[in-house]
Amino acid sequence: MSTILEVQGVTKRFGGLTAVNNVSFSVNEGEILSVIGPNGAGKSTLFKLIASFLPTTSGEVLFRGERISNLAPHTVARKGVVRTFQETTIFRSMTVRENIIVAHHLRSKASLLGFFVGSRQAAQDEAEFATSADSIIDFLGLGAIRHELASTLPQGHLRALGMAIGLATHPTLLLLDEPFAGMNHDETMRMVDLVRSLRDERGVTVLLVEHDMPAVMKISDRIVVINFGEKIAEGTPSEIQNNAKVIEAYLGSEDAAIGM
């Protein structure tokens, strides 16, 4: 299994505060890797560094051997490393289908002027985007709500729409930001199945940050644990569940907080 992403000694300081300190790990092609840790551990900052939404203080991030840290986020996304957000990328006044079509414009061939004047390339792009959007809707099982306004959707469908928007960019590596947040058990299990299908059926490698430990333990091939900005453990779910440093980080008890 080849390495697709390498995080090499990444550090981020905000003035005198070190939010992420010399973190290193790799992601293999075709795996689902989760980054976990207590609140305030530095997970979200690390995620932003990987997707280049924040510049590193030191260290670097490599995608297929090419340095992507400190590039413009849209440049990183065009290379195939795409970060989903919880709700901020969703246009609530648009339908599900319209949201997904708009997301395709990251890879449009026509210029902005071309879309404005209705060029032949713009028309071709729009037709391709609509076909692709319908395919994504069918793949994620969103057919019944394709014409619903995003503002009317429950939490589970909003999360699925966020994933659909990410898929519209044709990612190689998809970074999922708390994909199970705010869901009930049934919604979470459905989303777990959807994330697995991204890998199994679409060939997308997945890196996620998540607080729902039972879901993390169920879905992950490997887990990286961050605490106070530093990596304290890395391994399979069973290895993480029995790691003394991880147990101590989660309030020093073997309980449901880490899926035990």
Side-chain angles (χ1 to χ4, degrees), residues 231-247:
K231 186 178 82 172
I232 62 171
E234 179 179 350
T236 65
S238 60
E239 289 169 341
I240 293 303
Q241 285 178 315
N242 293 289
N243 186 292
K245 288 184 179 180
V246 178
I247 293 170

Side-chain angles (χ1 to χ4, degrees), residues 96 100-101 103-104 107 129-143 146 160-161 163-171 194 198 202:
V96 167
I100 300 170
I101 289 173
H104 282 79
R107 55 188 182 87
F129 297 164
T131 299
S132 177
D134 289 335
S135 174
I136 291 170
I137 286 169
D138 292 341
F139 173 70
L140 293 177
L142 300 177
R146 72 175 66 218
L161 176 55
M163 190 178 299
I165 289 171
L167 279 179
T169 66
H170 284 192
L194 285 179
L198 294 181
R202 293 252 169 167

Side-chain angles (χ1 to χ4, degrees), residues 85-105:
F85 298 84
Q86 293 185 21
E87 293 180 23
T88 54
T89 56
I90 294 172
F91 295 100
R92 290 181 171 271
S93 62
M94 291 184 177
T95 67
V96 167
R97 186 173 185 268
E98 289 168 342
N99 266 280
I100 300 170
I101 289 173
V102 167
H104 282 79
H105 283 77

Side-chain angles (χ1 to χ4, degrees), residues 58-88:
S58 62
E60 61 182 5
V61 180
L62 305 177
F63 176 65
R64 289 183 165 167
E66 178 185 0
R67 186 176 186 270
I68 61 170
S69 45
N70 304 341
L71 297 178
H74 70 271
T75 300
V76 174
R78 286 196 177 105
K79 291 179 181 295
V81 180
V82 177
R83 178 190 176 195
T84 66
F85 298 84
Q86 293 185 21
E87 293 180 23
T88 54

Side-chain angles (χ1 to χ4, degrees), residues 86-87 153-159 177-188 191 210-212:
Q86 293 185 21
E87 293 180 23
L153 300 180
Q155 192 69 18
H157 283 151
L158 278 174
R159 290 285 188 255
D177 185 8
E178 299 189 23
F180 314 124
M183 293 185 179
N184 61 37
H185 175 76
D186 290 343
E187 290 173 331
T188 298
M191 188 60 67
E210 183 54 59
H211 288 285
D212 188 326

